[in-house]
Amino acid sequence: MLNRLSDTIYYLSNQEDKERPTLGLVCGDRYSLIIDAGNSPRHAKDFLIEIEKLNVPPVKYVVITHAHWDHFLGMNEFDATIIVNHQTNELIKEWQRLSYDDRSLQKYVTTNQISAMCMEIIQTDMPNRDRFKLKSPDVIFENTLTIDLGNKVCILERIKSTHTDDSTIIYIPDEKVVFLGDCAYGTTTNSLFHYKQSLLLPMMKDIQKYDAEMFLLGHESICDLNEMNIYWEELTTASHVVKSISLENAIESFKLENKRNPNDNELFFIQAFVNDHIIQSQ
């Protein structure tokens, strides 16, 4: 079932047990726009079934927030203009060259091209896929793109983020809503989960320049401004004390600067920033 954020914005909540991220729907007077295409054709079809229950203008655009499989593998199901930034397009090209039969998928898992979870979802949700080929996006933009759905403007901006370099965020000014995809999360490199420390403040600046009160995230669904500010505060406080690969030094520095022990979130973030130093030192 779709969640209604306003008269013109809806979203399908993330389902972590199925590796399904949040999908968004923005409706103008003439057209509707979808944010992210889902992790499989089945996910996309489930979303479209829910949209059909609403009396909304036809879907003309689908924006992919970044080139991680769970956000775009359903895009063949949409009879709409697929929009991506330039780098997302280059990364999707790699998936267009893949074969999706069981033998090929197993080989990709073995060579770390895809995850075991990705293979499992594809095998479950795409039973007839031996000849499956991912279609190409229709519109590729560089840095920003503005789309008018009919008295409903959507601003797309590519930003570098702590999650991936090809992140696109979507801001709806009259609603003060921004879809962040996964950009505010960390990432995993060489089996270490980390936040790209050098990109944290630039990313926050890119996001906070928009006058937003509600934030849709790929794997949390929705946060209000207060919740996002707490998240940013915990991230920046943790980042500030990490200056080396020493977790002990970072925790001690946190205690000295803040006159308290880090909470569970801050401790998690401190470890993630320490991991980033470890990765940068390799």
Side-chain angles (χ1 to χ4, degrees), residues 12-23 38-47 69-71 117 121 124-125 182 217-221:
L12 186 66
S13 293
N14 62 300
Q15 295 176 269
E16 290 307 285
D17 59 324
K18 295 183 177 181
E19 202 72 17
R20 290 183 168 187
T22 304
L23 304 182
N39 72 352
S40 68
R42 180 71 266 166
H43 190 195
K45 288 175 183 175
D46 290 347
F47 189 35
W69 66 273
D70 52 324
H71 294 259
M117 172 64 80
I121 296 295
T124 301
D125 286 4
D182 291 355
L217 294 99
H219 299 274
E220 257 81 29
S221 287

Side-chain angles (χ1 to χ4, degrees), residues 17-53:
D17 59 324
K18 295 183 177 181
E19 202 72 17
R20 290 183 168 187
T22 304
L23 304 182
L25 174 70
V26 182
C27 307
D29 290 345
R30 298 173 61 199
Y31 306 114
S32 296
L33 175 146
I34 282 172
I35 293 108
D36 279 332
N39 72 352
S40 68
R42 180 71 266 166
H43 190 195
K45 288 175 183 175
D46 290 347
F47 189 35
L48 287 168
I49 287 170
E50 295 301 321
I51 293 174
E52 287 173 2
K53 298 176 183 177

Side-chain angles (χ1 to χ4, degrees), residues 72-73 75-76 89-100 132-137:
F72 68 78
L73 273 185
M75 71 183 192
N76 284 20
N89 185 57
E90 292 303 309
L91 294 169
I92 285 177
K93 285 180 181 178
E94 298 175 15
W95 287 80
Q96 292 175 313
R97 290 190 284 266
L98 300 184
S99 299
Y100 290 82
F132 177 81
K133 290 294 180 184
L134 198 64
K135 69 180 183 180
S136 297

Side-chain angles (χ1 to χ4, degrees), residues 7 66 93 111 141 143 148 165 187 260 264:
D7 289 341
H66 63 295
K93 285 180 181 178
T111 56
F141 70 97
N143 298 310
D148 189 352
D165 289 344
T187 189
R260 62 177 176 85
D264 289 344

Side-chain angles (χ1 to χ4, degrees), residues 129-272:
R129 61 194 136 73
D130 284 358
R131 297 185 179 180
F132 177 81
K133 290 294 180 184
L134 198 64
K135 69 180 183 180
S136 297
D138 303 291
V139 173
I140 297 106
F141 70 97
E142 288 295 330
N143 298 310
T144 62
L145 181 67
T146 299
I147 297 174
D148 189 352
L149 303 173
N151 293 318
K152 182 67 60 179
V153 169
C154 298
I155 299 172
L156 284 54
E157 181 178 1
R158 176 197 168 186
I159 66 171
K160 287 189 175 182
S161 80
T162 53
H163 184 68
T164 175
D165 289 344
D166 73 310
S167 292
T168 291
I169 61 175
I170 300 93
Y171 176 60
I172 301 94
D174 67 323
E175 302 274 7
K176 295 188 176 182
V177 171
V178 62
F179 285 83
L180 295 178
D182 291 355
C183 75
Y185 302 139
T187 189
T188 300
T189 304
N190 300 333
S191 300
L192 285 177
F193 178 81
H194 65 113
Y195 278 82
K196 297 176 183 176
Q197 192 175 36
S198 64
L199 296 178
L200 176 63
L201 294 181
M203 175 186 71
M204 289 175 56
K205 183 178 180 180
D206 282 342
I207 294 171
Q208 291 178 327
K209 71 185 178 187
Y210 293 110
D211 182 18
E213 295 178 354
M214 300 301 292
F215 302 80
L216 279 294
L217 294 99
H219 299 274
E220 257 81 29
S221 287
I222 188 165
C223 293
D224 61 24
L225 181 58
N226 182 60
E227 290 170 318
M228 281 306 299
N229 283 340
I230 291 172
Y231 180 69
W232 297 136
E233 177 66 23
E234 290 178 337
L235 269 175
T236 53
T237 302
S239 176
H240 183 67
V241 300
V242 178
K243 296 177 172 61
S244 71
I245 62 172
S246 172
L247 178 62
E248 294 77 11
N249 287 351
I251 292 174
E252 188 60 32
S253 178
F254 185 99
K255 291 177 181 178
L256 287 171
E257 289 193 17
N258 298 282
K259 312 302 182 189
R260 62 177 176 85
N261 291 324
N263 63 33
D264 289 344
N265 290 338
E266 291 162 334
L267 192 58
F268 175 81
F269 296 146
I270 289 171
Q271 179 68 72

